[in-house]
Amino acid sequence: MAIKNLSKQKKDCGRKEDYSMPGSAKTMEIGNEQSEEAHTMPGENMSNEDISGMPSGGMGSGNMSGDKGNELSSGMPGGNMSGDKSSMEGDKGDEASSGMPGGNMSGDGDGGGDDGGGTPRSRSCATMDVHRQLLSRYPFYARARDEIENLAYQYAINPEVVQRPGVTRIPIVVHVVWNTPQQNISDTQINSQIDVLNRDFRRTNPDVNNTPAPFLPLTADARIEFFLANVDPNGAPSTGIDRRQTTVTSFSHDDAVKSQSTGGADAWPADRYLNIWVCQLGGGLLGYAQFPGGPVTTDGVVILHSAFGTTGTASPPFHLGRTATHEIGHWLNLNHIWGDDGTGCSGTDNVADTPNQAGSNTGTPIFPHVSCNNGPNGDMFMNYMDYVDDPAMLMFTAGQVTRMQACLDGPRSLIGIEAGAPRQSSSPVVAWGANRLDVFVLGSDRALYHKWWNGSAWGPSVTGYEAMGGVCTSSPQVVAWGPNRLDVFVIGTDSALYHKWWNGSAWGPSVTGYEAMGGVCLGDPRVVSWGPNRLDVFVIGTDRALYHKWWNGSAWGPSVTGYERMGGVCIGQPEVVAWGPNRLDVFVIGTDRALYHKWWDGSAWGPSLTGYERLGGVCMSAPRAVAWEANRLDVFVVGTDGALYHKWWDGSAWGPSLNGFERMGGICVGQPEVVAWGPNRLDVFVIGTDSALYHKWWNGSAWGPSLTGYEAMGGICTSMPRVTAWGPNRLDVFVTGTDSALYHKWWNGSAWGPSVTGYEAMGGVISSF
Amino acid sequence: MNQASIQGSWTHSFEEDQGDVQVYRPTHSFAFPPARGRDTLEFGEGGELIKQVPGPDDRPRSLRGNWTALGMNRFRLEGTMDAPGQVIEVVEQTTSVLKIRKI
Ligand SMILES: [Zn+2]
């Protein structure tokens, strides 16, 4: 992967424009209220019931009315079965980067997704001789290591290129491989280790304040947190603890503990989990690690059980969990602070802000300990990457943090994002990575148009669009199953489904071409990706049943143009969300306007292939669902009184009840939009009867501005709000205005841009969004 | 003290170091407490030397070289990565301990 030279400019810098939408009243008050937060929406009836069933919610059967219960893998009714046209009808074959018809023709022709950035440079610093010897024996590993070091060097000289914002949360699986009952350490001991990691990698360990004064300013927050995985590789709920009894009385440093065939436990997929093996180790060894770039089956760290955590079998002087901190440092590409050259002064840890140091320190050294002319402050022996006792190590430096972040952006780029990360349903707006946005609209000619934010500028220009061909009858639905990957689905004039994709370097099948996927669809498709190279598409057929097709990484199921029939008689658009790998939750509205639910648990559809769980209500909008963590669902609909209603799955039951909804006030037009930028966080956007945008949020403990209140965000909107969050505490909202142009506003973590009620004008004449 | 008696495998018991005197104990019979890493010197019968050191990932790594007796309790260790032409002086030796000083 080429090194990206992303400039870390914040997008709200240098944006002076502060547009209000056309026709927008310039005030943010509703009626005569003061412009404080906590507005109610116009027309809102002020009844304050917190948790109610929705008005006239019926209690019907568990299956949707009219469900014909047909079997899987049929073509859709009326489906055009002839089709492998690779272009949609009416495709005019326009090329990239034009302004939209009737739009501002200011496209600057800067086509394509991202810029490749600078070329890799060789690292000029010395490396460890021992390591080099190993490298020469394993050429493949050597090549991978070279790339990793080139990236780390780029980051070291230019730390602003770090891509991950905020805190990366890494799922851990702890393989407890035990021979004697004592070695079968308790959950408490395991949790005590996780707690240590979450302090040490966030610089919240109290003993960081014992850092000698000259080194204290160098201490840094690594912005990494860890948690026991709550989903296993197959998508099943998990404790993140894998216990295996073994006949092996003591393991060596030969990786035997990492394979069931040699008495250990097999690794979970290393691209998604940090594997930690805890066992009896011989030879007085406390632990060992594997650097990034090595074989996936042995990736992770191994820790002696009595050097793991802070309680149970943990024994002084290695009883503070620092062995795991040190080994995970290696796993994130940190080298020993003395440079792994024995006791010489020529080795380097490839980090600039650690002093040159001769050999390892042990025990509890007295500051300063001078070597290699590094006085007066001497060795940074209190660094986690020296060999001192647990109570004596307490800090990472900023340079080490940059090196770890380079590892997270490079060789470990999938971890902490892919594992168990809930996936939102498709939308015309998607963010495939931090500080990246892709927006798709239909122009007045109903062709598809695209614009993107690359971290520093809008492409092809602020108000320009890339023309992508086609004549579409649905709003575009986009998902990103990985970085720099887009899959776009639309319905054509023949009501069939069409697909195109961005593979990181080019559009397939072509910039303006489409893959024909058959079917005769009503309304918009819905797409979700529960993992890398996986797509699940849901559409409503002419018989109003739900239909499903999927991409498994190598082929479309049940076939390129075929669909699996999933029963039901549905009104409007389905909604689908994936709270973890190999997990799907689908929501539809039935002919009785109640909400219905079905789910894929990794092996079967529940309650059955064509059956549905009835969740009550009388819904006047399509449902919108989001999962802010594994086994958590929040569903929003609009009721017959126009108010917003909410229900949730907490992992064991539906709240407020199976058929009940929480009433959230307002009088909403159209479908609500909801995103979760982090755990236990929800942001809901609706359009009011005055066509303005309104916002409310769940902050983990309460609804803001109040349970039934809304923050007024101005505008006169002609589309539902489309919102995405590319990082923690970040929101980007898109709507169309009365002039059919696109408008944008954003929350940067502390303020709304361009203002609470203002919008950035993004051009275009949009017919569907 | 004769040349044969230095033969065998000795592991650094750094907890017992006294100033510049490094204390080694028999690798296979001494009860070493756990450590992040220890150096081991294995003096072979024919003058071959295997030095084990903790590697960059904390796994022990073997480095091969030679040792020769210089007389006066001094020995030259050669060919390992981090000790080219190093000379050590044995300041005390029994079957249970080897104390050395780097010259
Ligand atoms: Zn280490």
Side-chain angles (χ1 to χ4, degrees), chain A residues 292-353:
Chain A
V296 293
T297 52
T298 52
D299 192 63
V301 303
V302 181
I303 314 284
L304 174 68
H305 72 86
S306 58
F308 194 74
T310 60
T311 184
T313 65
S315 311
F318 306 110
H319 61 302
L320 298 184
R322 259 64 193 261
T323 300
T325 302
H326 176 103
E327 301 305 343
I328 293 169
H330 288 317
W331 182 81
L332 290 166
N333 209 31
L334 292 189
N335 296 120
H336 287 136
I337 193 156
W338 66 91
D340 286 302
D341 61 337
T343 55
C345 294
S346 60
T348 177
D349 62 353
N350 302 302
V351 171
D353 60 1

Side-chain angles (χ1 to χ4, degrees), chain A residues 567-622:
Chain A
V569 179
C570 310
I571 294 178
Q573 210 178 341
E575 171 72 335
V576 56
V577 64
W579 55 246
N582 214 353
R583 171 78 201 194
L584 297 168
D585 286 272
V586 184
F587 297 89
V588 295
I589 306 297
T591 49
D592 61 352
R593 294 204 169 271
L595 180 67
Y596 289 85
H597 172 221
K598 65 189 305 153
W599 59 91
W600 172 258
D601 66 6
S603 57
W605 282 99
S608 70
L609 177 63
T610 56
Y612 291 79
E613 174 187 36
R614 191 178 189 280
L615 294 175
V618 179
C619 308
M620 301 307 289
S621 77

Side-chain angles (χ1 to χ4, degrees), chain A residues 8 41 57 220 345 369 373 376 396 454 539 551 598 613 635 664 687 721 747:
Chain A
K8 191 79 193 269
M41 293 180 73
C345 294
H369 178 257
N373 300 314
F396 290 120
N454 67 7
V539 295
W551 172 257
K598 65 189 305 153
E613 174 187 36
V635 187
M664 313 213 65
I687 304 298
W747 171 256

Side-chain angles (χ1 to χ4, degrees), chain B residues 15-56:
Chain B
E15 295 90 341
E16 300 182 87
D17 286 356
Q18 301 140 349
D20 62 348
V21 175
Q22 299 184 338
V23 179
Y24 281 72
R25 295 286 186 176
T27 302
H28 303 295
S29 58
F30 188 77
F32 293 96
R36 303 206 187 278
R38 292 182 189 276
D39 290 2
T40 292
L41 294 169
E42 190 175 331
F43 298 93
E45 217 175 324
E48 63 275 14
L49 173 66
I50 300 172
K51 182 171 182 175
Q52 267 200 351
V53 298

